[in-house]
Amino acid sequence: MKALKINLDQLITFYFIVIEGSLSGASARLCISQPAVTMQIAALQKQFGVKLIRVKKKKVNLTKAGEMLFIHAEEAYRSAMRAESLLHGHRSNNLRIGVAAALMVYLIPVVDQFTELYPSVKVTVREGRSLNIIEELLDFEHDLCIVGAFENVNKELRAFHIPDVERMILVGAPGDPLAQRQMVQWKDLDGYPFILHCEGSIARTVITREFRKRNIKPSISAEIDNIKCMKRLIESGKGVGLMFYPNVKEEIAHHELSIIPLVDGDLKVGIDVIVNRETALSPPAADFLALTGSRFGCIIAAGDQGFPA
């Protein structure tokens, strides 16, 4: 077999220069200095005598050869990441999970049960916004992710849908005017101070879709990506908010928050368990997936894990 003349590190550096659109962006993604990035791409161009990029005002533009090479650079990078994910996955003591912040309360019991059943497996859980977690899954940083139900799942992913896991409830401070009423309708939220989840959250997508459907425009007091901060703002009377009951049940029990009943329709949210199509599911991930299905009363078939095509 003929030995490769191309330096794969240089090829990957070229890939990130294109993805980030700048040498500084590639430097940040690769965690190396910008001069090192410049040296890598210069060496690659010099070795083959081909100009790949042009830098003008710190912005990278591809030559025709660069455009053609990028296709192979992307394939090389994704192939290397698949290989790395495969090796990680076949370490029987490792499981990496991404979870949407609002759904952490549902994941904790499953993780606790899993660690009891499989004490030798190291479970790493990363919490974040749903869209960020999914981007990390596409970059092979997780074995699986648990997020709010998506309407359209990226074709590179496979999703198992668990419908109507929990309804979102409207909550406010006990002294909030809406909390004093016996009957509240969705239309009462039009123009009303409202605390909303930040961009990138599936909860936000579900809520804003409901508002659009009902032609409601609340007055957004704040956009928060932290559940604790959201609860504190609502408790202080800055507005009302729609939240999952398990995330606020303690505050409701202590009368720090009040449930505001909506009489004209519940807002129910499902969960998607998502894996990357490009990687084989490791034994720990398959076991965790089955345990998750059992927790929510779903049967996840072996082999294809019950995911729709």
Side-chain angles (χ1 to χ4, degrees):
M1 179 182 290
K2 185 178 179 181
L4 288 174
K5 293 184 179 180
I6 193 167
N7 184 305
L8 293 180
D9 285 338
Q10 294 172 0
L11 187 62
I12 298 304
T13 297
F14 167 73
Y15 168 78
F16 277 107
I17 289 172
V18 179
I19 288 294
E20 296 298 325
S22 67
L23 300 177
S24 60
S27 169
R29 284 292 298 272
L30 292 166
C31 298
I32 60 177
S33 68
Q34 188 169 328
V37 170
T38 302
M39 288 176 61
Q40 291 264 34
I41 189 65
L44 180 61
Q45 293 180 130
K46 182 178 180 180
Q47 180 181 358
F48 293 96
V50 178
K51 189 72 172 176
L52 300 171
I53 66 170
R54 293 189 177 92
V55 182
K56 186 176 182 180
K57 295 182 179 180
K58 298 183 179 181
K59 185 176 180 181
V60 169
N61 294 296
L62 292 178
T63 64
K64 187 65 176 178
E67 291 176 358
M68 297 173 67
L69 181 63
F70 175 73
I71 298 171
H72 300 290
E74 184 175 30
E75 289 176 355
Y77 172 73
R78 298 195 71 80
S79 180
M81 291 303 295
R82 285 195 297 271
E84 187 174 295
S85 182
L86 174 72
L87 294 174
H88 274 301
H90 278 75
R91 288 171 51 190
S92 61
N93 63 338
N94 189 47
L95 175 62
R96 302 165 300 161
I97 304 170
V99 59
L103 299 178
M104 181 62 80
V105 66
Y106 299 100
L107 183 66
I108 290 173
V110 185
V111 171
D112 288 345
Q113 186 178 359
F114 183 85
T115 54
E116 288 181 8
L117 293 172
Y118 306 94
S120 63
V121 178
K122 177 185 176 182
V123 180
T124 303
V125 178
R126 176 176 168 79
E127 179 183 358
R129 300 179 192 176
S130 294
L131 295 183
N132 292 348
I133 290 295
I134 287 175
E135 284 298 319
E136 291 168 357
L137 179 64
L138 287 167
D139 283 339
F140 308 98
E141 294 180 29
H142 307 297
D143 295 307
L144 55 83
C145 290
I146 297 177
V147 297
F150 270 73
E151 287 188 333
N152 299 302
V153 178
N154 188 304
K155 65 181 181 180
E156 296 178 28
L157 303 173
R158 310 174 77 183
F160 176 75
H161 183 59
I162 304 173
D164 298 344
V165 171
E166 184 65 78
R167 67 187 180 96
M168 301 193 82
I169 60 172
L170 185 66
V171 294
D176 190 279
L178 289 185
Q180 307 300 310
R181 296 168 55 176
Q182 293 183 343
M183 184 172 66
V184 174
Q185 297 180 331
W186 278 91
K187 65 180 182 180
D188 295 323
L189 297 177
D190 196 32
Y192 203 83
F194 193 89
I195 310 298
L196 185 63
H197 302 73
C198 268
E199 288 283 357
S201 163
I202 295 301
R204 177 194 176 97
T205 301
V206 171
I207 292 168
T208 54
R209 184 171 62 229
E210 195 70 20
F211 283 151
R212 286 195 301 270
K213 183 177 74 175
R214 297 173 181 272
N215 197 28
I216 293 170
K217 295 181 179 179
S219 175
I220 306 302
S221 301
E223 299 182 23
I224 307 295
D225 64 356
N226 182 282
I227 299 300
K228 289 184 179 180
C229 289
M230 182 174 285
K231 290 190 288 188
R232 298 293 87 81
L233 283 175
I234 297 173
E235 287 174 13
S236 64
K238 302 300 183 183
V240 298
L242 281 158
M243 304 187 72
F244 291 109
Y245 175 72
N247 286 327
V248 293
K249 65 178 182 179
E250 185 175 334
E251 287 78 9
I252 291 170
H254 291 122
H255 306 290
E256 296 166 352
L257 289 174
S258 294
I259 297 176
I260 303 173
L262 284 169
V263 298
D264 53 348
D266 287 335
L267 185 56
K268 294 184 177 179
V269 179
I271 287 177
D272 279 343
V273 183
I274 300 179
V275 299
N276 196 318
R277 286 184 181 274
E278 295 191 50
T279 58
L281 206 59
S282 68
D287 291 336
F288 187 87
L289 200 56
L291 192 62
T292 302
S294 176
R295 174 80 181 181
F296 292 105
C298 302
I299 298 175
I300 301 178
D304 197 37
Q305 286 79 49
F307 288 83

